[in-house]
Amino acid sequence: EPDIIATTSGAECPYFGTTILDRVLHIYVRRIFQFLESCGILFLQDLWFYVTHIMFHHVPYLYQFHKIHHSAYSPVFAWLAHPVDHLVVNLGSFAVAFMTFGNPYWVFVLLSVLESWSSVSGHDEGTPHHIHHKGSSQRYGSIYLFDRLFGSY
């Protein structure tokens, strides 16, 4: 395993000097920005999902696409959706978040796994998404951050 402190040159650390402390600070500052970027991705992904999901429920033309998802309720049918609904709501939330903040691959993989698990397990009895499918005007987000903020949880 390479020694990251020894291999990080001063040229790669334009805001810090060349001492070991400066190099360590550079590494930790970079990690802090990566963490903030990851939080931004989760924030924007849930915001996009929340807003577009509400639109697909309350705009009659858009609901024509979304009602396919609500036509069956079972973990087996978790991904049942019209292509327009799936592109705008599901894939759109990922695309907007990752195009805005870049693509830290591990966040993309983690979010993909969590979303897939949530989508399938969320269609079980007694889950927050189950409440949504019972006709409630609640639980529109993917991680429910904005549902909690705007009182729709």
Side-chain angles (χ1 to χ4, degrees):
E1 183 174 314
D3 183 0
I4 195 159
I5 294 174
T7 60
T8 304
S9 70
E12 295 175 35
C13 304
Y15 301 108
F16 300 99
T18 56
T19 67
I20 291 176
L21 178 59
D22 289 334
R23 293 175 187 176
V24 169
L25 284 173
H26 170 74
I27 292 166
Y28 283 106
V29 167
R30 191 172 65 212
R31 296 287 185 250
I32 289 169
F33 280 108
Q34 288 172 339
F35 173 76
L36 293 174
E37 181 180 57
S38 301
C39 290
I41 287 171
L42 294 174
F43 179 86
L44 191 56
Q45 187 275 334
D46 194 50
L47 176 63
W48 181 274
F49 193 96
Y50 179 82
V51 170
T52 57
H53 194 183
I54 286 176
M55 288 172 47
F56 271 74
H57 269 270
H58 296 286
V59 175
Y61 176 75
L62 295 176
Y63 189 72
Q64 296 304 310
F65 300 110
H66 190 62
K67 70 181 180 182
I68 293 170
H69 177 70
H70 283 270
S71 67
Y73 190 78
S74 161
V76 175
F77 297 108
W79 288 97
L80 177 65
H82 189 281
V84 171
D85 184 12
H86 188 63
L87 283 171
V88 174
V89 179
N90 298 325
L91 297 178
S93 67
F94 274 78
V96 167
F98 283 95
M99 287 171 52
T100 301
F101 287 100
N103 189 3
Y105 69 92
W106 67 271
V107 176
F108 180 78
V109 170
L110 178 65
L111 192 56
S112 298
V113 168
L114 289 174
E115 285 293 320
S116 296
W117 172 79
S118 174
S119 181
V120 174
S121 68
H123 285 83
D124 284 335
E125 214 39 60
T127 62
H129 195 69
H130 177 71
I131 293 168
H132 172 75
H133 269 264
K134 290 179 82 173
S136 172
S137 58
Q138 296 177 306
R139 313 304 204 272
Y140 291 108
S142 61
I143 59 173
Y144 308 116
L145 171 66
F146 289 95
D147 287 296
R148 288 179 173 96
L149 288 173
F150 296 126
S152 56
Y153 186 76

